Structure formats: C-alpha cells, structure tokens
C-alpha cells in the first residue's frame, strides 16, 4: 500500500492585516505580505511595522507562517534605507524573505544569516539549472516563472535541489516575470520596483491591413491575460511534488482572499480519489470571488494559444451595469445585480486603462432622492462618486460589503521577540553536555549502545528547541553524537526538561545593543573597477554592417548547430531556455568554446550553471552580464563576479545618478545600454497581432511574433538613446534598430526611477 502524497503548503496573499487574518481563518498555512517599501506591490495598502508585528504574534501562536516580500531591485544609493527596513522586520522573525535582486540575496546572507530566503517569481527561474543557481545564492525555495508548462514543471521539480513553489490562482502577467519594462517605459512606473500601472490591460490598435490575416485582429486587448485557475490541476501538482501552492492577490479584499483559500483548502483536504465529489462546491465558492475569466494559464502550448481573448475587456470583477447620466455628486446606474453599501466598485472605461476601485459609501434613489442601503436589479439609483464617470463606462463589483467578520487586527498583541541562545550539544555513551551562553550543563549517565535505531542528531536538536520558557528560545542547535548511544524518547524529553529548568534559574546578563554589521558595509571604501571600456554592437547575423575595429560584434545564439561561428565575436545566450532545451543549449555553448569564442553575454543565471558543467580548463572567457539579467547595485555585481562574470550592464531602467553610483561602487566594469530598441515585454502567449500598434495615449510599439524559442516580443517604436558616461563601457543594440534613427527616447535616464 502506497503512502499518501504530502499535502503542499497553501500560501495566500495579504495586502493588509485583515486579509491575512481572513486567509488564516479560511485555512491558509501561510501568507505573504509587504511593507511600504521594497516590495512588488508598493501601489497597494501594505503593512505597517506594527501590523507585521501583530501578524507575527498571531502566526506563531496559531502555528502558521508568514513570508515578507522584499522583492524589488535595490539601487546602490538605497542600501541604508533597505538595511534599516530589514533590521526592523527581521526582529519580528518572518519565516522567509521573498526577494528578486541577487544583490539583496548577498546582503541578507552576509548580514542577516538567520533569515530564510525564497526566490521571487520576478527572478525568472524557469529551469533546473536556474534553481541550482538559486541554491548557490543561499536560497532555500524558488517560486517558478509562471510561464512554465506542467510537463516542464515535472521535470524541473524532479531535478530541483530546492523546494519549488508555483502560482495556482489569480491574475497573470503577460510578460515573463522580471522581463517587463512596459509600465516603466510609459512613465517610470516600474513593475520591478512595485509600481506597475498595468498598460498590458489597455486597448491597442493596429492598422487595417493587420486585421486581414488568419487569427489576427486590428484592435483589442492584445496583452490582457485571463486569470489562472487550477482546481483540476491540484492532483497533478501534488504528484509532481510541488512544496507550496501560491494564490496571487495582494491588492485584493479580505473576502476575496477568504473565498479563494476556502475553495482550494476544500480540495486539498479531500483525499485524491474523492476530489471529483467536491469540485462543484469548490468552483461555486470561487465563482463569487470577482476575478477575471478563468484559464489554465501556461499549462500547455494549447493553453498559451488561448490565454488572451483580445476582444474582451481585461478587467477583474463582476459586471453590475453601465454608467448612466452624470449628476451632482455621482452618476445614475441601473444595476443588473443586487448592490449594497460597502461594496467595492470600479468604473472601467473602454480603453482598459487602470483605474482605482472605490467603496460604495452613498447611494440614493434616482426618483425620490432618499438614501438606500440596497439596490435590486433594475432599480435606478445614484451612486456617490467624486470623480468624472464617462457615460457608458462599465461598472464592476470587485469586492463585497463583507459577508464575514474577521478578528480585529488592531486588538491583536504585538510580537515580543524572545531572547535566543545557541546550543552546542554533545552526546556519547557517558552522558550528555550542553553549552549555552558561556555556561555548561552536564548529565553524566551510562547509555547503552544502540542496536537498531541510531540516535539522530536532528531529533535531539528538535527536542531541545522546545524551551517552554517565556521570553527564551533556542537559536542554532549544533549536535555531535559519538559512540552510538541509545536514548529512549522518554529519557531524551526528561533530559531536555532538566536542562531548561536549570537554565531558567541562571542569572543572565542584560542584552547589550550592538552596532549592526551592515553599517560597516555602508562605510566601505569604494574600489575603482578595472577599466574595460570597449563598445559592443549587438548585430543581426542576417544583415551586413560597416566594419568598425573599435567595437566588438555580438550575435544572438541560434539553435542551428550548423551555423557559422566567428571566434572573434561575442555571443548572446538566450535568456529563456525551457527545461527540455537545456542539453541542446549546453551543446551549442560547448561548440562555441571549442571553436575559440572568448566572449559570451550572460542574460540569465542558468547559463552560469551550464558553464560550470563544461570543460573550461583551457578557456579564458570574458562574460558580460546583460539585460534581462538585472544589475542595479554593487552586491549584484560582486555576486556575479564570484561566478566568473567580468563585466556587468547597468539595469536599463536606472537613471543617470543610479548608474553612476553603480559604476563608482565597483567591483566590475559597468556597461551602459546607449542605443537600441529594448524588449519591453516578452511572452510565450499567442499575441493576435503583428507589427505596429498604438494606444489611446499616443504610445506606439512594435509586436514581433514568436522566435525560434517560441517567444513574442514587444518593442517601443522609438529607440532608446542615452549618452555615454565617463569610465563606462557602451552597448549599441542594432538587433531591432537602425543606426542613427532620429526620433529617440531617453527612458528613465533623465528622471528618477522611484
């Protein structure tokens, strides 16, 4: 008889303390949340430090977990503010930190080694070699890229040295995670800094000729994906061995969080053979959660082809009606469904532009002007609204007036962190010794030799971590076992009680404040990086260019194993490589090196792992880390340098001063993307248009269909052009631009990236 498969963790979003409590009440094992800075949902409500303290106390009292998101890119000038944020949060003992920036991973491993680290989906890990790179950074779990198929997920998890977490429900980004500059390009609202304005939900327009091809359209919501839904995939995910199932929605209301958690908890708690019986009930629970139309996301190639319904307004919520006549203080509405004071509504224009939701706080009869609490279908009412509502705009309900009540988070106690003491435990046939806080406790006792069950050091550590003393907790427990002693479980428990009873009577010194180690990092001397100021031209191998001996030519790697190789050139490795393509990419990389290529452009961490697996004993490679591999600070540069990288490209979103700070902090030479059309969005989904498109705000872009890796790219109509900076290398990208185009954009170079 086979044992049942482990039940994965159910992880819920929490934009507020109320949402976290709703998630716990519905059965979530853990929640993830963020503070006001350095998290990928800075546009939401987020937690105060007191909220986080109350959440920590609640989670620890109830045997739950909470993860803190610090998953944005950090500029070199922000280390002090970031360190102070972590210092405050770390004292509340989150169960893990979710991060995007490899420099942040290095910072936390060095100065906050007690924190467990998880790789955000924003890191873009999508194959097993990427997960090995995450392990080398000191991470314990990877939240996979959402555009991984189920078959790829199965292969990745089987080869993964770390826990794997996947999204199972909620909104989907059209772009590969961490590869989107769309919002940032349109005004500095960076998704990598938690400020995405969701331009992918807008309506875009092509030309008349673009609408003539099969499956093509000339107008629509070309990048607006349906929501992810996975109830029927739970069995498969569980059999694959996924450690955590994650629900998207930190901008959602508590009722939404409760309903989604409740539905997935119902399925997870039902034995696999009986799950078909509860699916109807679970779907019914989800149907009132006010999301978009459901889909299977990127589960298969067929799912990718149908993920975008370009003729449907890509907004979440339950359609209530349309805006009628504008009146003083609001607008008229005939709701198609029952409407209540306290409901959350959104007035959505036809353009698809992002608009904020609001709480319905006033409603009156359109005829008698008397206030009403509830409007039935067909009633004409005036909805209180303090902004202009375009006539005909759709009105969506995105949250209910509150069908349930949750504990008042403000009344929860703050978390009082215990004093933690590390333990050194030694066990042999003559007894047991524990060293703690400079003291030693010993119990001399003759233990028999173990005949069948050797004494497990982790079992001893687990037992001794149970202090049962208010305000005191065990820190690291290091256990050494010699001589194969045998201790019955009852005796081990008794020894643990004796030890902690003894320790409770000790007169311990007061804790002395210490200077944070990270302060020394802020005072460090800047090292001038070695100069490597060459300019690299990224070239299309299908075109001819005038020669230039001052520049290095760089070409994209192709899957054609017979393609001609130029040993003097640099080769750009593909940033996205499905699990099944790893052997082929590795083989092509080996061929490049065998034929004398010395320069490679590293665009994803998985490539450094593949290089480790090759025989490089005679190779002296020059490796440039470049877009979309983000380098926004010196610690990211330092981490890449240790992995063999010799030069880094400053992150394309950064402004002039941030790039200068990165250059001055070292330790590697910095390259600036001076000219070219950067990729603003890249996806595995089928986009039903090709070529030039525009939006209602004058934005103009170019869609380029799937390449040989199955990806579609979005580019700006105008190339990016920024001046060279002193003591930096340069990059001229002619892959999708012609040299010297007249109309250009400077992206964020001349404005601060907030």
């Amino acid at each position: 008889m086979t044992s049942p498969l482990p039940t994965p963790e159910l992880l819920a979003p929490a934009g507020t303390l109320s949402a976290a409590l709703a998630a716990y009440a519905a059965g979530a094992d853990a929640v993830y949340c963020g503070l006001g800075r350095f998290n990928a949902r800075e546009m939401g409500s987020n937690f105060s430090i007191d909220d986080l303290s109350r959440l920590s106390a609640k989670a620890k009292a109830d045997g739950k977990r909470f993860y803190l998101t610090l998953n944005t890119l950090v500029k070199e000038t922000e280390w002090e503010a970031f360190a102070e944020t972590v210092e405050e949060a770390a004292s509340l003992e989150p169960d893990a930190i979710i991060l995007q920036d490899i420099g942040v991973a290095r910072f936390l491993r060095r100065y906050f080694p007690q924190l467990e680290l998880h790789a955000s989906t924003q890191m873009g890990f999508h194959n097993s070699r990427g997960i090995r790179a995450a392990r080398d950074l000191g991470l314990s779990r990877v939240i996979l890229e959402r555009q991984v198929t189920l078959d790829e997920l199965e292969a990745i998890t089987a080869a993964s040295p770390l826990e794997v977490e996947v999204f199972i429900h909620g909104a989907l980004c059209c772009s590969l995670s961490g590869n989107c500059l769309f919002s940032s390009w349109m005004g500095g609202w960076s998704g990598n800094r938690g400020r995405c304005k969701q331009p992918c939900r807008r309506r875009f327009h092509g030309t008349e000729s673009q609408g003539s091809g099969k499956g093509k359209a000339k107008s629509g919501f070309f990048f607006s994906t349906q929501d992810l839904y996975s109830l029927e995939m739970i069995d498969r995910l569980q059999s694959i061995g996924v450690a955590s199932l994650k629900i998207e929605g930190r901008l959602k209301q508590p009722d939404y969080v409760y309903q989604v958690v409740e539905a997935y908890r119902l399925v997870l708690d039902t034995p696999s053979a009986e799950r078909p019986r509860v699916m109807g009930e679970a779907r019914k629970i989800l149907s009132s959660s006010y999301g978009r139309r459901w889909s299977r996301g990127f589960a298969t190639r067929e799912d990718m082809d149908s993920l975008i319904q370009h003729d449907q307004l890509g907004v979440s919520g339950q359609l209530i009606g349309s805006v009628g006549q504008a009146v003083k203080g609001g607008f008229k509405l005939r709701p198609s469904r029952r409407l209540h004071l306290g409901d959350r509504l959104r007035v959505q224009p036809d353009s698809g532009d992002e608009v904020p939701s609001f709480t319905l706080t006033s409603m009156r009869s359109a005829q008698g002007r008397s206030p009403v609490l509830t409007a039935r279908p067909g009633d004409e009412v005036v909805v209180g609204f303090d902004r202009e509502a375009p006539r005909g705009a759709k009105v969506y309900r995105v949250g209910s007036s509150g069908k349930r009540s949750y504990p008042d988070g403000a009344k929860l106690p703050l978390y009082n962190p215990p004093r933690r003491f590390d333990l050194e435990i030694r066990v042999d046939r003559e007894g047991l010794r524990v060293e703690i806080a400079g003291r030693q406790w010993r119990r001399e006792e003759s233990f028999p030799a173990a005949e069948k069950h050797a004494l497990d050091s982790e079992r001893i550590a687990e037992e001794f971590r149970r202090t049962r003393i208010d305000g005191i907790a065990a820190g690291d427990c290091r256990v050494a076992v010699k001589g194969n002693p045998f201790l019955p479980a009852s005796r081990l428990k008794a020894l643990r009680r004796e030890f902690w009873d003894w320790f409770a009577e000790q007169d311990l010194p007061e804790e002395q404040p210490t200077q944070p180690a990270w302060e020394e990092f802020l005072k460090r001397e800047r090292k001038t990086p070695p100069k490597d100021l060459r300019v690299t031209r990224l070239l299309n191998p299908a075109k001819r260019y005038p020669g230039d001996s001052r520049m290095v030519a760089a070409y994209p790697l192709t899957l054609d194993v017979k393609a001609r190789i130029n040993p003097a050139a640099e080769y750009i490795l593909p940033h996205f490589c499905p699990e099944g393509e790893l052997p082929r990419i590795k083989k092509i990389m080996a061929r490049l090196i065998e034929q004398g290529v010395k320069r490679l452009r590293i665009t994803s961490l998985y490539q450094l792992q593949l290089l480790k697996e090759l025989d490089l004993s005679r190779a002296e490679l020059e490796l440039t880390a470049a877009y979309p591999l983000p380098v926004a600070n010196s610690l990211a540069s330092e981490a890449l340098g240790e992995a063999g990288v010799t030069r880094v490209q400053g992150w394309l979103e950064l402004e002039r001063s941030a790039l200068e700070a990165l250059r001055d902090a070292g330790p590697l030479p910095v390259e600036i993307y001076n000219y070219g059309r950067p990729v603003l969005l890249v996806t595995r989904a089928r986009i039903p248009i090709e070529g030039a498109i525009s939006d209602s705000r004058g934005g103009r872009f170019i869609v380029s269909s799937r390449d040989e890796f199955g990806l579609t790219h979005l580019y700006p109509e105008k190339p990016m052009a920024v001046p060279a900076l002193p003591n930096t290398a340069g990059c001229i990208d002619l892959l999708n631009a012609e040299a010297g185009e007249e109309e250009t954009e400077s992206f964020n170079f001349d404005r601060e990236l907030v």
Side-chain angles (χ1 to χ4, degrees):
M1 181 177 177
T2 58
S3 57
L5 294 169
T7 301
E9 170 188 78
L10 184 56
L11 176 58
T16 62
L17 183 53
S18 295
L21 298 179
Y24 286 156
D29 300 302
V31 299
Y32 61 103
C33 57
L35 295 166
R37 290 194 68 184
F38 306 112
N39 95 85
R41 290 293 183 270
E42 285 193 12
M43 303 285 279
S45 298
N46 289 306
F47 280 59
S48 68
I49 199 68
D50 279 354
D51 287 339
L52 197 67
S53 180
R54 292 183 173 95
L55 176 64
S56 181
K58 176 67 174 175
K60 289 168 174 55
D62 293 355
K64 302 286 188 177
R65 296 181 291 278
F66 78 99
Y67 306 135
L68 180 64
T69 58
L70 294 171
N71 55 341
T72 61
L73 300 179
V74 175
K75 295 188 282 190
E76 186 64 28
T77 53
E78 295 175 326
W79 279 124
E80 183 172 7
F82 179 81
E84 289 172 348
T85 297
V86 178
E87 185 83 38
E88 205 167 16
S91 67
L92 303 177
E93 301 182 348
D95 292 278
I97 301 295
I98 300 173
L99 58 89
Q100 174 188 8
D101 193 321
I102 56 178
V104 166
R106 193 169 187 82
F107 181 89
L108 295 177
R109 278 280 63 84
R110 181 179 295 172
Y111 300 112
F112 296 88
Q114 76 277 19
L115 294 174
E116 186 171 329
L117 307 182
H118 293 176
S120 168
T121 189
Q122 285 294 103
M123 293 191 84
F125 289 123
H126 57 276
N127 59 43
S128 58
R129 298 311 191 275
I131 295 182
R132 292 180 193 177
R135 176 194 58 191
D136 292 349
L137 290 171
L139 280 62
S140 61
R141 179 188 290 186
V142 165
I143 306 164
L144 274 186
E145 164 63 63
R146 280 178 263 202
Q147 299 193 22
V148 167
T149 69
L150 281 174
D151 288 344
E152 291 165 356
L153 173 63
E154 185 166 14
I156 293 168
T157 304
S160 174
L162 304 180
E163 289 185 346
V164 171
E165 176 178 311
V166 297
F167 279 91
I168 58 168
H169 195 88
L172 286 169
C173 292
C174 184
S175 181
L176 292 172
S177 299
N179 282 224
C180 187
L181 304 178
F182 202 1
S183 177
S184 189
W185 182 268
M186 300 174 77
W189 299 91
S190 170
N192 295 292
R193 301 272 292 175
R195 294 177 172 271
C196 180
K197 298 288 281 187
Q198 296 189 329
C200 53
R201 300 295 180 186
R202 293 180 184 173
R203 182 186 293 276
F204 290 87
H205 305 275
T207 63
E208 289 292 333
S209 61
Q210 287 169 306
S212 59
K214 182 179 179 181
K216 299 296 182 180
K218 64 181 181 181
S219 175
F221 303 95
F222 298 128
F223 310 103
S224 185
T225 57
Q226 300 173 78
D227 279 1
L228 176 62
Y229 159 87
S230 303
L231 280 180
E232 280 79 19
M233 290 188 277
I234 294 298
D235 278 358
R236 178 84 185 274
L237 295 172
Q238 192 169 356
S239 67
I240 284 171
V242 171
S244 181
L245 305 178
K246 185 172 192 173
I247 298 164
E248 183 277 338
R250 279 198 287 142
L251 300 180
K252 299 290 189 179
Q253 297 300 306
D255 263 344
Y256 172 90
V257 174
Y258 187 98
Q259 289 162 350
V260 177
V261 171
E262 182 183 27
Y264 282 94
R265 183 80 271 163
L266 173 62
V267 174
L268 281 170
D269 287 349
T270 303
S272 180
E274 300 176 28
R275 283 175 180 169
R277 174 178 55 82
V278 301
M279 281 296 174
E281 182 181 353
R283 283 193 293 267
K284 184 177 180 181
I285 295 170
L286 282 181
S287 66
S288 58
S289 61
Y290 309 121
R292 297 178 182 88
R293 179 175 292 190
W294 296 339
S295 76
R296 286 164 43 93
F298 296 85
T300 66
R301 172 53 69 186
E302 292 73 22
D303 293 318
M304 296 178 198
D305 287 345
S306 61
L307 182 60
I308 291 175
Q309 302 292 323
H310 73 275
D311 56 349
Q312 296 175 6
L313 189 64
V315 297
S316 61
Q318 188 179 69
L319 183 60
I320 295 296
S322 301
V323 172
Q325 179 184 351
V327 298
K328 185 177 180 181
F331 60 85
K332 290 184 177 181
L333 173 71
R334 288 188 184 274
S336 59
R337 302 171 186 266
R338 187 178 290 266
L339 192 62
H340 308 267
L341 284 185
D343 285 349
R344 294 284 296 177
L345 303 179
R346 176 184 288 124
V347 177
Q348 184 65 53
D350 184 58
S351 66
D353 284 346
E354 182 194 38
V355 291
S357 59
F358 67 98
T359 300
L360 181 59
T361 57
S362 70
M363 186 167 52
R364 67 178 189 268
S365 168
Q367 288 76 32
R369 296 184 173 273
S370 56
V372 295
L373 299 176
T374 301
R376 296 185 299 274
D379 289 350
E380 187 176 34
V381 294
V382 172
V383 170
F385 193 59
D386 59 2
R387 297 185 294 277
E388 181 181 354
R391 190 180 182 96
K394 298 293 190 294
V395 180
Y396 290 85
R397 176 162 42 208
V398 296
S400 71
S401 57
K403 301 172 184 176
R404 298 174 181 85
S405 60
Y406 309 106
D408 185 355
K411 295 181 179 178
L412 292 175
L414 296 174
Y415 180 55
N416 185 21
R419 292 187 66 180
R420 293 192 177 274
F421 295 90
D422 295 342
L423 280 67
E424 290 272 2
I425 304 173
R426 296 179 178 86
V427 188
D428 54 31
R429 295 281 301 281
E430 284 73 44
L432 183 147
R433 298 186 302 278
V434 183
E435 292 185 7
I436 182 171
R439 298 166 171 79
Q440 186 179 97
W441 178 84
R442 179 178 179 85
R443 180 63 64 233
E444 294 183 2
E445 186 172 337
S446 179
F447 299 130
E451 296 180 2
K452 294 183 179 180
H453 302 292
L455 199 56
D456 179 47
S457 59
E458 182 52 42
R459 178 174 151 240
I460 296 171
E462 183 180 355
E463 184 64 45
F464 271 78
R465 289 189 187 103
R466 300 170 182 168
T467 65
R468 303 292 193 269
I469 306 172
D470 289 341
I472 298 294
D476 289 338
C477 292
R478 293 180 289 275
V479 180
V481 180
K482 294 183 179 179
N484 195 29
F486 172 71
L487 273 78
S490 59
R491 184 58 187 143
L492 186 60
K493 291 180 185 294
L495 289 170
R496 182 258 300 166
R497 286 193 294 267
E498 289 181 39
F499 163 72
W500 285 114
D501 287 345
W502 166 81
F503 188 71
E505 297 174 356
Q506 301 302 301
D507 185 18
L508 299 174
E510 293 293 323
E511 286 186 281
Q512 298 297 318
T514 58
Q515 182 181 13
W518 52 263
E519 289 189 357
E520 291 302 315
F521 164 70
L522 298 179
K523 298 174 184 176
R524 74 197 189 285
E525 290 186 14
R526 305 293 187 182
K527 294 181 180 179
T528 303
K531 293 184 178 181
D532 179 6
L533 306 184
R534 70 178 186 266
V535 175
T536 303
R537 287 194 304 172
L538 312 186
L539 305 177
N540 186 331
K543 295 182 178 181
R544 297 181 65 86
Y545 301 88
D548 194 328
S549 60
R550 299 166 301 169
M551 298 185 185
V552 173
Y555 300 102
L557 186 73
T558 174
L559 293 179
D560 181 3
V561 295
K562 297 180 180 179
R564 177 178 171 272
I565 291 175
N566 178 2
E570 179 177 85
Y571 282 86
I572 308 163
L573 302 181
H575 66 90
F576 186 84
C577 177
E579 184 71 12
E581 294 287 354
L582 283 170
R584 179 154 55 158
I585 296 297
K586 181 179 175 181
K587 184 177 181 179
I588 296 173
M589 289 170 62
R591 179 170 172 256
L592 291 175
I593 295 168
E594 287 168 2
Q595 296 198 19
V597 171
K598 299 295 185 184
R599 298 187 179 103
L600 296 176
R601 190 155 286 247
I602 304 297
T603 58
S604 179
L605 292 176
Y606 83 84
Q607 298 153 8
L608 296 173
Q609 293 296 309
L610 289 181
L611 286 172
K612 283 185 178 182
E613 299 172 14
L614 297 173
D615 179 11
L616 303 178
S617 56
R618 291 174 295 172
E620 296 179 2
L621 298 178
E622 297 178 24
L623 306 178
T624 297
Y627 181 80
L629 181 56
V631 180
N633 55 66
S634 60
L635 287 184
S637 178
E638 184 181 295
L640 290 167
E642 281 192 7
V645 170
T646 55
R647 186 172 69 161
V648 296
Q649 184 182 82
W651 182 240
L652 271 62
E653 290 184 280
L654 296 179
E655 70 270 23
R656 179 197 296 264
S657 60
L659 289 167
E660 290 171 339
L662 173 62
R663 173 201 63 191
D664 296 342
L668 297 179
V670 173
E671 173 187 280
I672 305 298
Y673 186 95
N674 296 122
Y675 181 83
R677 280 190 175 84
V679 178
L680 301 184
L681 177 152
V682 56
T683 185
R684 297 180 90 180
R686 187 184 72 83
I687 305 299
I689 197 166
E690 177 82 6
I693 61 171
S694 61
D695 66 10
S696 60
R697 298 187 178 189
R700 304 186 70 85
F701 309 92
I702 302 166
V703 178
S704 177
S705 283
R706 292 173 179 165
D707 59 15
E708 61 181 338
F709 296 96
L711 302 173
T712 295
H713 298 81
L714 177 74
Y715 301 95
E717 181 191 56
K718 296 179 183 178
M720 172 181 172
V722 302
L725 292 178
N727 297 319
T728 63
C731 177
I732 307 299
D733 178 5
L734 302 181
L735 291 174
N736 296 283
E738 301 296 329
E741 293 189 37
E742 293 184 2
E743 291 191 70
T744 62
E745 294 279 357
S746 61
F747 200 4
N748 294 320
F749 190 78
D750 296 317
R751 64 186 175 209
E752 182 181 3
L753 180 67
V754 294

